[in-house]
Amino acid sequence: MPQKLLEQEGLTSKEAQKRLLEYGENTLSAKKKSGPLKIFLGQFRDLMVIILLISTVLSVMMGEITEAITIIAIVLLNAVLGFVQEYRTEKTLEALKEMAAPAAQVVRDGEVVSVPASQMVVGDVFLLKAGDRVPADALILSSTNLYADESLLSGESEPVEKHPAKTLETDFGPGKLEAVYMGTVITKGRGKAIAAATGMESEMGKIAGMLDDIEEDPTPLQLKLDQLGKIVAIGCVGICAAVSVAGILRGENLFDMIITGISLAVAAVPEGLPAIVTISLALAVRRILKRNALVRKLHAVETLGCANVICSDKTGTLTENKMTVREVVTPDRRLTVAGENYADSAFFEDGKKFEAVSHQGLMSLLEIAAFCNNATASREKGGFGLKERWQTTGEPTEAAIQVLAAKAGVIPQELRWFREREIPFDSDRKMMTVVGGMGSRHRVFTKGAPDILLGRCTRYQDERGVHPLNEGVRSRILKENNRMAETALRVLGFAYRDASSIQGNLEEDLIFVGLAGMIDPPRPEAKAAVEKCRRAKIRPVMITGDHILTACAIAKDLGILREGDLTLTGKELDEMSDEALDRVVAKVSVFSRVNPGHKLRIVRALKKRGDIVAMTGDGVNDAPAIKEANIGVAMGGGTDVTKEASSIILLDNNFATLVAAIEEGRVIYQNIRKFIRYLLSCNIGEVVTMFVGMLMGMPVVLTPIQILLVNLVTDGLPAMALGMDPAQDDVMELSPRSSEESIFSGGLLGTIVFRGMLIGLTTLSMFVAFYRLYGGVEAARTGALMTLIVAQLFHVFECKSETHSLFGVPFFNNKKLIGAVMVSGGIAFLASENTWMRAIFQTIPLTLNQWLLVLGASLIAPILSALLLKLGREKPLENPVPMKTVRIPRSDSFGG
């Protein structure tokens, strides 16, 4: 930082204007973003969408206006949804800009004037007071009890005490106690500072730059649907050409064969697939919302199912974000403190309940905790049978010890002392003192850092009374203090003395009464959620700005940090190359004292090795890593910047909610595979019916209008209902699938082709049977049409499981599917039995015997599949696909 830019008396207006032209405005800039029209048109670049648009044109050419309108509606729906999601992501930097201060009190020409924060320049001297948002990164010139809330940058909620810089050549960077940062808030005190970095050079600007440089990758599902689109495109061209050429070689009319080939190619396109994917994802979003997670980007739902690493912030996500006293030590006792609810509150010694009122020294400690305190604690009614809980206001540490006192019934308002004087805590003394009065008596109540406080004590109190403080007792107390600190407890010491006056040096000749150790405790449900992750082969990783000891203590308690795992600090990360980080990142379970750049490096290192990463956070410091992650997860109480960068928002800030959302992600992918299997099997059945029939010299088996009926009846409601199948019991017991795994993995493609061929051959056999038994092409086509539809409706139930046949699936756990099949079956029945519909679809009415023949023939394929599955060489694994990578014998690929 050049010395010439740091004039402590402020700048002149002329110099400020000169620097404004030289350095630019104090604003956050960004690369030029795509306009709304460009974003909307970009939605039509997907290969599947292009195929559907071509199908629309072909449908119009064939006179199938209804199908054309249906397809174009599906395409437009997907385009609008994609546009909304992409356009919303453009708002991230706008939210970041809003966090800049609107104005600043700046020294110009020797006077304090208010100027827009955007006009501030490096070298400007400005004033700060409680409630101000800091307008630029700056070094502190002078301060009085100055505290800043830097949670949006550091992730830690407690305000940081600030001190004047000893030299203006201080190495500037994040986390400096002699500096304040753009966008942070002054919570207490006042001060004067000199701007050292503005605009994009500030810490906030660097975060904005990181956000701007991050490009969003397509989700695994989008990649798989693109892969499917390529397969469908090749298949459609091949089908159209093969059918047309075969018919022409057989002597059929050229134009009729081209129309038939085109109609079959259109039939082969699963035009319902994008709509069903969209609707299934939307329904999953609703289910996830009921579990307290708001999904902002639709395709992120499915990506959750791939996640194999969750990088979680500590404070408020894995912990409760409220300090709680866990241990109290007096010179003669070591007690644990239990109870989140009022009725459960208790002190324990060696597992046995301990009555606080029986210990004179403990009661003195609790009295100090309640009186030397500016926080409040009260009982909050639970209602509806819920237990009473503690409601607190004030600084977290003070609130924790106020609750500690209240648990033993020591309430400030009920004490006999009234407050006469307060000596606030400061970083030099590391103590706070309140003087209480009662008539002519005065008592000094002091709390503070144990090692400092002990130096001011000459006596101690236990349950027997007050005694001189000898070196043995002092050593034992310090040893207890170190033990508690090593378990990541924040330790406070407590002391008192009676005084003849409220003036003079009151913090001496004190009587020591004990220590209280507190921590931000883990959420009760977080431990179970971590265990659920472990069973699901998902690796939880803690990334926090907190101290390494605190982070490791919480991580061990939750099961995140296990034997053999590594930990890294931000300082160690700075000393590591990217290559070195790549080598160890898979073994690190805790990252502590990290900044925004560190978080971004960690996520990129994990993605580089092929992990699908979910990243949680709530502060601006988390936004770049959240945007870079495969699944960015913001906290409901977090900043707007983080929310805009995220894919999912946890409304209750709970790690367990994220695990529940991952479970839904796994379910939706399983269901997507189910209806892809169903749709493609049905389409292949139609293609086999038409193509093989033509090769065998039969008349055209189904007319274009009959093919359209099949698509409308089978591709719509049943496939959609299949996408709402409930989760299987073991969905979170299986390993996450690889993001590179094909959507047809685990033999699914073989199953689809084989079942499609069975459906097609069954339909052809019924065409031949009806033609011979009942005479006439119209009767044969009716029998074939009904067989094709009924066989597909049976097959939809087979698609509920990849390891069970039609006769082993749970039929009644998806009532929507049963309803959809009944509606589709009813439409097919009317197409044969209703006079008006018969005229449209060129069918004849069927007798009871003919319907029984259709039903019997339609069951041939499921029965054959069940037999093949039963005769398989290996016992089928329960749902090995898509979550587990296992070898399946080729014969299993042909099962239901």
Side-chain angles (χ1 to χ4, degrees), residues 36-288:
L37 180 61
K38 187 176 180 181
I39 293 173
F40 183 71
L41 293 177
Q43 307 305 314
F44 298 94
R45 292 177 300 189
D46 183 77
L47 183 58
M48 180 64 82
V49 172
I50 293 170
I51 293 171
L52 290 175
L53 290 174
I54 294 170
S55 298
T56 305
V57 174
L58 296 176
S59 297
V60 172
M61 289 171 58
M62 294 163 51
E64 304 295 347
I65 304 300
T66 303
E67 174 142 328
I69 292 172
T70 303
I71 296 174
I72 203 69
I74 290 169
V75 170
L76 285 173
L77 173 65
N78 281 279
V80 169
L81 287 170
F83 167 78
V84 170
Q85 293 164 26
E86 192 170 335
Y87 186 71
R88 286 174 69 180
T89 64
E90 302 290 322
K91 300 296 182 183
T92 306
L93 284 178
E94 292 181 20
L96 193 59
K97 291 177 183 178
E98 289 176 4
M99 302 195 73
Q105 299 295 308
V106 178
V107 179
R108 293 274 176 89
D109 301 316
E111 296 182 0
V112 177
V113 295
S114 179
V115 301
S118 62
Q119 303 301 302
M120 282 191 62
V121 296
V122 172
D124 261 327
V125 173
F126 60 96
L127 306 183
L128 292 168
K129 65 180 186 304
D132 284 352
R133 189 174 290 277
V134 179
D137 289 4
L139 287 173
I140 300 168
L141 300 175
S142 63
S143 66
T144 303
N145 202 28
L146 186 69
Y147 283 78
D149 178 0
E150 297 182 348
S151 58
L152 62 84
L153 289 175
S154 67
E156 297 306 312
S157 56
E158 290 203 29
V160 180
E161 186 178 10
K162 297 295 181 178
H163 309 281
K166 295 178 181 178
T167 171
L168 297 180
E169 295 293 340
T170 301
D171 177 26
F172 202 76
K176 300 292 183 183
L177 297 181
E178 63 271 21
V180 287
Y181 302 93
M182 177 192 282
T184 60
V185 178
I186 302 301
T187 59
K188 188 162 63 173
R190 63 183 186 276
K192 185 164 71 170
I194 186 164
T198 60
M200 296 300 287
E201 296 301 315
S202 67
E203 292 302 312
M204 187 79 79
K206 291 172 184 175
I207 292 174
M210 291 179 199
L211 285 169
D212 213 33
D213 291 338
I214 296 169
E215 298 292 337
E216 290 197 37
D217 298 326
T219 67
L221 179 60
Q222 288 168 321
L223 293 172
K224 289 174 177 60
L225 291 179
D226 187 54
Q227 173 196 40
L228 179 59
K230 292 173 183 175
I231 294 171
V232 170
I234 294 168
C236 287
V237 173
I239 290 163
C240 186
V243 171
S244 299
V245 169
I248 293 166
L249 291 175
R250 229 183 68 188
E252 299 284 350
N253 180 275
L254 174 63
F255 180 75
D256 288 346
M257 283 301 95
I258 291 173
I259 291 296
T260 302
I262 290 173
S263 67
L264 195 56
V266 171
V269 175
E271 67 269 12
L273 182 60
I276 294 167
V277 169
T278 300
I279 291 167
S280 298
L281 291 174
L283 291 171
V285 166
R286 286 181 58 190
R287 292 197 301 271
I288 291 172

Side-chain angles (χ1 to χ4, degrees), residues 360 460-467:
Q360 185 179 353
Y460 72 94
Q461 183 179 12
D462 58 19
E463 61 185 341
R464 299 188 311 275
V466 177
H467 316 278

Side-chain angles (χ1 to χ4, degrees), residues 111 136 231 299 319 410 469 526 539 545 572 586 672 704 765 839 845-846:
E111 296 182 0
I231 294 171
H299 281 271
T319 65
V410 181
L469 180 62
R539 187 166 70 91
E572 290 169 331
I672 286 171
S765 67
L846 299 181

Side-chain angles (χ1 to χ4, degrees), residues 2 205 256 278 325 348 392 444 528 559 666 730 736 767-768 798 806 823:
D256 288 346
T278 300
V325 177
F348 290 88
T392 62
V444 177
R666 290 189 169 192
D730 64 347
F767 181 88
V768 173
E798 286 184 279
L806 178 66
V823 170

Side-chain angles (χ1 to χ4, degrees), residues 669-805:
Y669 185 74
Q670 286 183 336
N671 288 349
I672 286 171
R673 275 176 62 101
K674 288 176 185 179
F675 60 66
I676 284 177
R677 172 186 173 186
Y678 173 65
L679 287 174
L680 293 186
S681 294
C682 293
N683 287 9
I684 288 173
E686 296 163 30
V687 171
V688 169
T689 297
M690 297 293 290
F691 187 53
V692 175
M694 194 162 292
L695 290 178
M696 293 174 66
M698 297 179 186
V700 175
V701 178
L702 298 174
T703 64
I705 191 70
Q706 289 172 339
I707 293 173
L708 175 62
L709 174 65
V710 174
N711 284 347
L712 289 175
V713 170
T714 61
D715 287 5
L717 289 176
M720 200 177 299
L722 195 59
M724 291 182 267
D725 233 29
Q728 296 178 359
D729 293 338
D730 64 347
V731 69
M732 288 299 282
E733 303 293 328
L734 307 170
S735 300
R737 69 185 184 279
S738 167
S739 60
E740 298 177 359
E741 184 179 274
S742 167
I743 202 163
F744 298 114
S745 64
L748 185 63
L749 184 59
T751 300
I752 289 170
V753 172
F754 182 72
R755 287 298 282 112
M757 290 177 65
L758 281 180
I759 290 170
L761 294 175
T762 302
T763 304
L764 275 174
S765 67
M766 291 306 292
F767 181 88
V768 173
F770 267 72
Y771 190 85
R772 291 181 177 176
L773 292 173
Y774 307 111
V777 174
E778 202 170 40
R781 283 177 177 159
T782 304
L785 176 64
M786 295 306 145
T787 302
L788 182 60
I789 291 174
V790 174
Q792 291 181 356
L793 294 181
F794 278 141
H795 183 53
V796 76
F797 289 101
E798 286 184 279
C799 293
K800 285 171 65 68
S801 172
E802 295 187 25
T803 57
H804 288 73
S805 72

Side-chain angles (χ1 to χ4, degrees), residues 374-394:
N374 290 318
T376 62
S378 59
R379 304 175 197 174
E380 182 186 47
K381 296 289 184 183
F384 299 105
L386 298 176
K387 296 177 179 179
E388 293 181 337
R389 298 187 68 84
W390 296 105
Q391 182 67 36
T392 62
T393 60

